[in-house]
Amino acid sequence: MSGKVIDLGNIQGLSVQEVPALQQQYGKNIFQAESSRRFIHIVWDIVKEPMFILLVIACSLYFILGEVSEGILMLVAMALVTAISLYQEVKSTNALKALQQFTEPKITVVRNGKEMIISTEELVPGDIMLLDEGMNIPADASILQANDFTVNESIITGESLPADKNETEEHNILYQGTTINSGKCIGQVTATGNNTVLGKVGKAIGAYHSPKTLLQIQINQFVRRLALFGLIGFFIIFFVNYLHHHEWTTSLLFALTLAMSAVPEEIPVAFSSFMALGAYKISKLGIISRQPQIVENLGAVSVICLDKTGTITENKMQVKAIYDYDSDTLVDLHDNTQLQNENVLFYGVLASEMNPFDAMEKAIWEAYYLYTDGKAHQQLKMIYEYPLEGQPPMMTHVYEHENIKVVAAKGGSERIIHVCRLSDDDKKKITQHIKSLASKGYRVIGVASAVPTEQQPPAMQDDYNWQFEGLLALYDPPKKNIPDVLKQFYDAKIDVKLITGDYPETAINIAGQVGIFNFLKCVTGEVVMNMKEDELMEVVKSTSVFARMFPDAKMKVVEALKANGEIVAMTGDGVNDGPALKSANIGIAMGKKGTEIARQAADLIITDDNLERMVTAISEGRKIFSNLKKAVRYIISIHIPIILTASLPVIFGWTYPNIFTPIHVIFLELIMGPTCSIFFEKEPVEENIMQQTPRERNGGLFTRNELLISIMQGIIIAAGAIILYYYFMNSSASLQQTRTIVFTTLILSNIFLTFANRSFTKTIYYTSRYKNSLAPIILIISVFFLAALLFVPFVRNLFQLTNITLVQFWLCFGVALASVMWFEVFKTDLLKIKS
C-alpha cells in the first residue's frame, strides 16, 4: 500500500505546563499486571527455602529438649541467614531495576509545537505521538494522519495478518502493545497504563519472563541430586541414632545436622547473584542486557555475525562517484568537481526523505547541496509516496508543480534496472559499472524518474514508465578500531561472519580492509536460499562473507551455524532483522541507529554502537562463568568434609558418633554462603581467559576432571579432619575437646580452600596479587570468628567447645594446611608440564 504525505502542519500538541496535571490525574504510562516484589515477598521466598525450614525444625527441637541457649543461638543463626539472603536478593533486585531503566523505550511526541523524545512511561492522554515502521505502540491512540499504515494486532485480536489503519472512524484506533508493520502515522494518545485495552484484558506489554537457561537447569539438577542424597542420609542417620539411643528428638536433631550439611542452598543464590550483578556491570560499560541470564551465553559465544553499516563502518556516508546514464559518463567527486548533468543527484534527493534520518539519504542531500545550486527541488510539493519495499528494495516519491507531476525513485540497482526495462546491452554495461564501483567498497544504488500521464497513482511503484537516470556510489569507511576488535575476537577463538545486503564486491572489499579471515569467498542470499540444510551447514563453516542478504537468508545462515553446534551472536538494527536476532543465541542491537523493534527483539543493546564493547562483554561473560565455577567447586569441596564428619562416625559406631549439631553446621554455612556468592563474584578476570577456546555450552557446568579434582579436595580435607577426630577420640580426649579440634580444622581448611580455589591453574604466589577488596575482609571475619570460638568463654560454651593447647592448635593448622595446599603442588606440576 501507498499513501499521501504525512505533514505536521499546525499541530501543537500539549503544552509542557499541561503535562504534570495530566500525569497526576492518570499516572505514569506503566502497566502493572503483577505487583512488584515487596519486602514481604522476598522474606517469604527465603522462609520457603529448605535450609530455613531445617533451621526452624532444629530450633524447635532445641526448645523442646529444654536447651534454651542453643535454641536462641539457632534463632540468631536464622536471623543471620535471613539478613545475608536479603542483602543478596536486594542487591540483585536493584541491579535488575537499573537494567530496566536502561532498556526503557523512547517515543517522539509533539509538545509546544516542537518534536521531543521522551520515555514512553511519561506519555499522557492528549499527547501527539509520531509513529513509524517497526515501533511498538506505547499507548492507546487515535489516528490523526496516516500513510501506508498497517499494524500487527495479534496480541489483542489473535489475528496474524496486519490490519490496515487510517483516519476513518472504523480504522483509526491504535492499541498499546501492537507493532507497526509498515508506514507512518501521527496519533493522539487516548489511554495509558492500566486504562488501555491491553491493561484491561490483563496482559503485560514488555513483560519478559525468560525460560530457564541450560546452566540454570544443570545447576538445579545438581542441587536436587545433592538434596536427594541429603534426604537419604537424613533417614539413615535418624534410624541408626534411634536404634542406639531410642530418643526420637535427639535422633532427629542429629539427622537434621546431616541434612543441613548436604543441602547446597548457596549454589542457586550464587547463580542468581552472579548473573544479575554481571548484567548490571556490563550495563555500566555500555551494553544493556534485557535478561540477566544472557550473561551465561556470552562466555560461550563461538561465532559472531556482523552487519556492515554502522557496526563495521562509521555509518557516515559520502557520495564518491556518479554514473550518468544519458551521457554514459562516470564522475569521481572531488571538492571542485563540476557536474555536466545534475539529474542523478536531483532525482536522488527527490526520492529521499526531506528530513533524512538514514545516513545514506543524508549523504545524497549533502552532495546535492555541494555539487548543484540546491534549489531545483524547492518548487516541488510531494503529494504521494511509496514506502521502501520489495527485494531488492526501492522507494518512490511523487511531486507536483503547476499540475505537472514528477516521480523519482531510488533503490537496489538490480530492482531499478529491472523496472526501467533496459536493453540487454545497457544492462550489461551498467552491471559492469556496478561491479567496478562495488569492488572499491562503495554501496551502489540506482536512480530513476518518470513523468506520469495517468491521474491516479498506480497501485504498485514498479508500474510507472520508468527512465533510468544513473547510479550513485556511496562510501562508508570502516571504523578505525574494527581491525583491532576483530583481532581480539579471533584471539578469543571466535569466528567472524560478515552478513550484509551490499554487493559481493563491496562486502569483499570491506571485509579485506578490516581483516576478516577468508574474505575472498562470498555467498549471496539467493544462493543460501537455494541450498539444502546439510549443504549450507558445510558452507557456513568455511565462508566468512555473505552478501546481498535478506531477512530469510540471514535467519537460515544463523540456523545453520547453530545446527553445527555454534553459539551465535548476531548484530542487527532494522525492522526485518528481528527474526534473525531472535534466532541467534545472542541478538545484539545498536542503541543509536537500531529500530525499536530490533532493540526489543535483541538480548543485548550496545548503547554507543561501538563493537569493541562486545569484546568487553564476552570477557565479562567468561569471567562470570569462570568465577561461578570456582564458587560451585568451592561449595562441593567444603560440603564433603562436613557431610563425612557428620555421617561416617555414626555409620561406623564410633565412641563419639555425633560430633556436630545443627549449630555447628549452620555457622559453617554462614561462612560459606557469603564466600561463594559475594567473594568469588568479585574475583578479577584471569589474564589468559580471552585466549581460551569458548566453552561448549552443552558440555555441562564442569568437565569430569574438574569435578573429580573438587571431590578429591573435599575428600582429602575430610580425611585430615577425620584422622584428627579418630586420634583424639581414642586418646581419651573429651567429646568437647575432640569437637573443638575437628571444628577448628574445618574452619582453617575453609579459609585455605577459599584462597586456593581462586585459580585452578595459578598458584597462590600469583593469586595473592589478584585485586579483590573482599579478600582481607573474608580473612579477618573468619579469623575473628575462630578466635571468638577459642578464646571467648561465652561463645565457646554456646558451641559446646573447650580449651585446646597451642600445640593442638598448630596441629589443626598444619593438618588443614596440608589437606588443602597439596593442590598448590599439583598446580605447580601442571604448570611445569604445560611449559
Side-chain angles (χ1 to χ4, degrees):
M1 276 191 64
S2 313
K4 59 182 178 298
V5 180
I6 293 290
D7 183 13
L8 280 174
N10 295 320
I11 293 175
Q12 293 294 306
L14 296 173
S15 68
V16 175
Q17 291 75 22
E18 292 177 279
V19 173
L22 289 167
Q23 281 191 344
Q24 184 72 28
Q25 181 180 353
Y26 296 103
K28 296 276 190 182
N29 182 33
I30 302 172
F31 178 65
Q32 295 180 342
E34 299 175 4
S35 58
S36 57
R37 278 174 62 79
R38 302 182 188 280
F39 181 79
I40 190 68
H41 298 135
I42 297 172
V43 172
W44 176 242
D45 283 347
I46 294 168
V47 168
K48 290 189 298 183
E49 286 294 320
M51 179 58 75
F52 195 90
I53 293 169
L54 292 174
L55 282 171
V56 171
I57 296 171
C59 182
S60 302
L61 287 172
Y62 274 125
F63 283 115
I64 289 170
L65 292 168
E67 298 177 7
V68 177
S69 59
E70 285 82 356
I72 292 172
L73 193 59
M74 290 301 290
L75 286 174
V76 172
M78 288 162 63
L80 286 171
V81 167
T82 305
I84 291 168
S85 298
L86 276 174
Y87 169 77
Q88 291 168 337
E89 179 69 28
V90 168
K91 196 171 179 181
S92 297
T93 301
N94 288 340
L96 293 178
K97 283 181 180 177
L99 282 179
Q100 289 170 358
Q101 290 176 356
F102 276 123
T103 56
E104 184 69 42
K106 308 291 182 185
I107 184 72
T108 300
V109 297
V110 179
R111 289 180 180 174
N112 286 357
K114 296 179 180 178
E115 293 182 25
M116 60 176 65
I117 298 173
I118 63 170
S119 168
T120 55
E121 71 173 39
E122 301 298 326
L123 283 171
V124 294
D127 259 325
I128 304 297
M129 301 185 293
L130 305 186
L131 302 171
D132 204 347
E133 181 178 303
M135 294 175 63
N136 287 323
I137 297 175
D140 286 0
S142 59
I143 294 175
L144 302 180
Q145 294 182 40
N147 173 31
D148 181 34
F149 201 62
T150 61
V151 179
N152 185 328
E153 295 182 333
S154 59
I155 191 171
I156 299 289
T157 65
E159 175 58 54
S160 59
L161 294 175
D164 292 330
K165 296 289 181 177
N166 52 50
E167 300 91 330
T168 61
E169 190 172 338
E170 298 83 7
H171 302 95
N172 69 340
I173 303 300
L174 302 176
Y175 301 108
Q176 180 194 46
T178 56
T179 304
I180 300 171
N181 185 67
S182 67
K184 300 178 182 179
C185 162
I186 299 175
Q188 185 169 31
V189 175
T190 56
T192 57
N194 282 20
N195 295 319
T196 63
V197 170
L198 194 68
K200 289 173 182 176
V201 299
K203 294 180 181 178
I205 179 62
Y208 187 84
H209 301 286
S210 58
K212 288 188 182 297
T213 64
L214 180 64
L215 186 57
Q216 277 178 298
I217 293 168
Q218 289 172 341
I219 284 176
N220 288 341
Q221 288 174 344
F222 182 72
V223 170
R224 278 197 295 269
R225 286 176 191 145
L226 284 179
L228 180 62
F229 171 79
L231 185 64
I232 294 168
F234 169 83
F235 286 113
I236 292 171
I237 299 301
F238 175 78
F239 284 117
V240 171
N241 270 290
Y242 187 75
L243 288 173
H244 281 96
H245 304 290
H246 302 288
E247 292 182 8
W248 73 268
T249 50
T250 304
S251 301
L252 186 59
L253 197 62
F254 288 127
L256 282 172
T257 303
L258 178 70
M260 288 168 63
S261 67
V263 175
E265 87 291 344
E266 309 96 336
I267 295 178
V269 173
F271 177 83
S272 300
S273 298
F274 274 53
M275 296 304 155
L277 296 175
Y280 180 61
K281 280 181 182 177
I282 65 172
S283 74
K284 291 169 74 176
L285 299 171
I287 300 169
I288 313 305
S289 169
R290 296 193 68 238
Q291 51 157 332
Q293 289 81 5
I294 204 65
V295 174
E296 171 200 330
N297 280 348
L298 275 172
V301 170
S302 57
V303 175
I304 183 163
C305 299
L306 307 175
D307 63 344
K308 181 178 76 71
T309 305
T311 302
I312 286 179
T313 61
E314 294 279 4
N315 200 27
K316 295 175 182 175
M317 293 189 175
Q318 275 187 305
V319 178
K320 286 290 191 178
I322 297 175
Y323 170 70
D324 181 60
Y325 173 69
D326 285 342
S327 61
D328 192 24
T329 55
L330 180 65
V331 180
D332 291 321
L333 298 182
H334 306 286
D335 291 343
N336 56 354
T337 300
Q338 296 292 321
L339 292 177
Q340 300 300 314
N341 189 337
E342 300 174 356
N343 280 355
V344 183
L345 271 180
F346 173 64
Y347 287 111
V349 296
L350 290 186
S352 302
E353 299 295 338
M354 291 296 172
N355 298 302
F357 170 78
D358 180 69
M360 180 176 68
E361 293 192 340
K362 286 180 179 178
I364 295 171
W365 275 101
E366 190 178 289
Y368 172 69
Y369 284 121
L370 190 61
Y371 299 109
T372 75
D373 64 6
K375 297 178 181 178
H377 73 287
Q378 293 177 356
Q379 296 177 332
L380 301 174
K381 181 182 179 182
M382 195 194 308
I383 59 171
Y384 205 81
E385 64 179 327
Y386 296 83
L388 189 70
E389 57 81 25
Q391 189 59 47
M394 69 178 282
M395 64 185 292
T396 300
H397 289 167
V398 182
Y399 295 83
E400 187 177 50
H401 176 61
E402 296 179 352
N403 294 323
I404 297 174
K405 293 185 177 68
V406 177
V407 186
K410 73 177 193 311
S413 303
E414 305 102 308
R415 176 83 173 276
I416 298 296
I417 291 170
H418 174 73
V419 299
C420 290
R421 302 173 181 86
L422 298 167
S423 68
D424 289 342
D425 287 342
D426 281 345
K427 287 180 182 177
K428 187 176 180 180
K429 177 176 65 177
I430 295 167
T431 302
Q432 287 299 322
H433 283 299
I434 292 170
K435 289 185 176 181
S436 174
L437 292 167
S439 66
K440 298 177 182 178
Y442 295 161
R443 171 180 284 188
V444 185
I445 62 169
V447 178
S449 67
V451 179
T453 54
E454 59 274 358
Q455 289 299 313
Q456 294 298 322
M460 304 294 293
Q461 58 184 327
D462 296 42
D463 295 337
Y464 282 103
N465 185 25
W466 291 110
Q467 302 297 314
F468 189 74
E469 293 294 340
L471 303 170
L472 291 172
L474 301 100
Y475 185 58
D476 185 9
K479 295 176 181 176
K480 292 179 180 178
N481 69 334
I482 289 297
D484 182 59
V485 171
L486 297 190
K487 182 180 182 301
Q488 291 181 70
F489 284 140
Y490 285 127
D491 287 345
K493 312 299 186 293
I494 297 170
D495 199 9
V496 179
K497 310 288 185 187
L498 174 61
I499 300 181
T500 177
D502 275 322
Y503 282 97
E505 293 82 2
T506 306
I508 288 169
N509 179 285
I510 296 297
Q513 286 190 57
V514 297
I516 290 177
F517 292 176
N518 195 26
F519 65 91
L520 292 174
K521 183 178 180 181
C522 179
V523 174
T524 65
E526 186 178 350
V527 173
V528 166
M529 295 307 292
N530 290 328
M531 283 185 181
K532 294 180 180 178
E533 185 178 341
D534 55 348
E535 185 184 0
L536 183 59
M537 285 171 63
E538 287 302 314
V539 168
V540 295
K541 290 179 182 178
S542 58
T543 304
S544 297
V545 180
F546 296 85
R548 248 15 191 173
M549 296 290 283
F550 41 90
D552 289 345
K554 289 180 181 180
M555 192 162 72
K556 193 171 179 182
V557 168
V558 170
E559 290 296 336
L561 288 166
K562 287 167 63 181
N564 285 336
E566 307 287 1
I567 302 301
V568 183
M570 178 169 181
T571 64
D573 56 15
V575 173
N576 294 325
D577 287 329
L581 290 174
K582 281 185 175 291
S583 176
N585 299 102
I586 301 179
I588 306 162
M590 298 298 150
K592 287 184 177 179
K593 74 183 182 77
T595 60
E596 182 62 33
I597 201 166
R599 288 194 289 268
Q600 292 299 319
D603 301 296
L604 295 177
I605 301 169
I606 302 179
T607 55
D608 62 357
D609 296 4
N610 183 358
L611 189 63
E612 193 167 8
R613 306 287 183 206
M614 275 306 297
V615 177
T616 307
I618 290 169
S619 174
E620 190 69 22
R622 290 188 179 186
K623 183 194 90 169
I624 289 167
F625 182 76
S626 171
N627 286 348
L628 178 64
K629 279 176 64 172
K630 292 176 188 176
V632 176
R633 292 177 71 178
Y634 158 82
I635 292 166
I636 293 169
S637 297
I638 202 62
H639 267 267
I640 288 172
I642 300 172
I643 293 168
L644 293 179
T645 51
S647 60
L648 290 182
V650 177
I651 294 168
F652 293 130
W654 285 9
T655 308
Y656 304 144
N658 298 295
I659 198 168
F660 289 149
T661 66
I663 289 174
H664 302 102
V665 173
I666 194 56
F667 274 91
L668 284 172
E669 296 277 349
L670 285 174
I671 295 173
M672 290 187 292
T675 300
C676 74
S677 58
I678 300 174
F679 173 78
F680 281 110
E681 192 274 330
K682 284 270 190 183
E683 282 290 88
V685 63
E686 295 200 41
E687 61 183 23
N688 65 338
I689 204 162
M690 284 300 281
Q691 281 72 52
Q692 296 174 8
T693 303
R695 66 180 175 88
E696 291 185 14
R697 186 166 173 263
N698 295 325
L701 187 56
F702 315 110
T703 64
R704 181 176 294 180
N705 286 341
E706 287 171 341
L707 188 58
L708 283 174
I709 287 171
S710 296
I711 292 172
M712 185 61 66
Q713 284 181 296
I715 288 173
I716 292 176
I717 292 170
I722 289 172
I723 287 169
L724 288 178
Y725 188 159
Y726 188 82
Y727 172 78
F728 279 92
M729 179 183 67
N730 290 303
S731 300
S732 302
S734 65
L735 173 62
Q736 287 79 9
Q737 190 176 23
T738 305
R739 178 184 292 131
T740 306
I741 294 290
V742 176
F743 200 51
T744 301
T745 304
L746 286 178
I747 292 172
L748 288 169
S749 297
N750 179 76
I751 296 170
F752 295 140
L753 184 68
T754 301
F755 290 92
N757 278 21
R758 295 181 77 182
S759 174
F760 287 88
T761 55
K762 301 281 187 182
T763 63
I764 283 181
Y765 175 77
Y766 294 99
T767 59
S768 61
R769 299 173 226 174
Y770 285 2
K771 291 182 180 179
N772 185 336
S773 57
L774 289 178
I777 295 172
I778 290 288
L779 183 61
I780 290 167
I781 289 173
S782 298
V783 169
F784 268 96
F785 177 61
L786 182 58
L789 288 172
L790 296 177
F791 302 116
V792 178
F794 171 72
V795 178
R796 194 167 59 220
N797 292 335
L798 276 178
F799 282 85
Q800 300 174 22
L801 304 177
T802 189
N803 288 316
I804 58 173
T805 66
L806 190 60
V807 172
Q808 290 170 336
F809 172 80
W810 284 114
L811 178 62
C812 296
F813 186 93
V815 170
L817 187 68
S819 298
V820 174
M821 290 306 162
W822 68 268
F823 188 51
E824 295 301 301
V825 178
F826 173 81
K827 285 190 280 188
T828 304
D829 291 340
L830 195 65
L831 286 171
K832 287 179 181 177
I833 293 169
K834 286 185 177 180
S835 60

